[in-house]
Amino acid sequence: MAGHKLNEVELQQALSSLPGWQIKEGKLHKEYKFNSFPTALGWMVTVGVHAETMGHHPEWLNVYNTVRVNLATHDIGDAISDLDVELAKKMEEIFNS
């Protein structure tokens, strides 16, 4: 599942619907803060299950209550695709639920 590479207009539209997300080193990037390590880990597991169903997996790093996320689609040369936006929106939905 390669996804569709976003052009600059599509990318700006996507960012406007993703509060707190930015482009960092050519990837969609956000840092999430949680109340505790178990809460952060639980969020990662829930997101991970969804990512697996998409066949699209995040680059992320967890340190205690913080999760740093970078999203890019490797199959299209590490560019930002519609799959990255879809996964970012799911992350937001799970975080805010």
Side-chain angles (χ1 to χ4, degrees):
M1 197 184 327
H4 160 75
K5 180 179 177 179
L6 300 184
N7 64 39
E8 194 58 37
V9 171
E10 292 169 321
L11 192 51
Q12 291 309 313
Q13 288 173 337
L15 284 173
S16 71
S17 69
L18 293 168
W21 286 83
Q22 59 185 307
I23 299 171
K24 191 172 182 180
E25 298 179 11
K27 299 175 182 181
L28 280 180
H29 173 81
K30 185 168 182 178
E31 185 171 294
Y32 288 94
K33 293 271 188 187
F34 298 88
N35 292 330
S36 64
F37 173 73
T39 305
L41 185 59
W43 178 83
M44 291 178 76
V45 169
T46 302
V47 169
V49 169
H50 181 75
E52 182 64 18
T53 65
M54 291 177 65
H56 191 64
H57 306 94
E59 294 177 13
W60 52 13
L61 172 70
N62 168 239
V63 178
Y64 182 56
N65 68 336
T66 303
V67 180
R68 290 182 195 94
V69 178
N70 291 300
L71 299 176
T73 302
H74 305 296
D75 294 345
I76 60 170
D78 290 323
I80 299 170
S81 78
D82 57 326
L83 295 175
D84 300 305
V85 172
E86 181 183 339
L87 186 53
K89 286 180 179 180
K90 189 63 174 180
M91 288 177 171
E92 289 296 305
E93 178 186 317
I94 293 166
F95 182 75
N96 291 311
S97 64

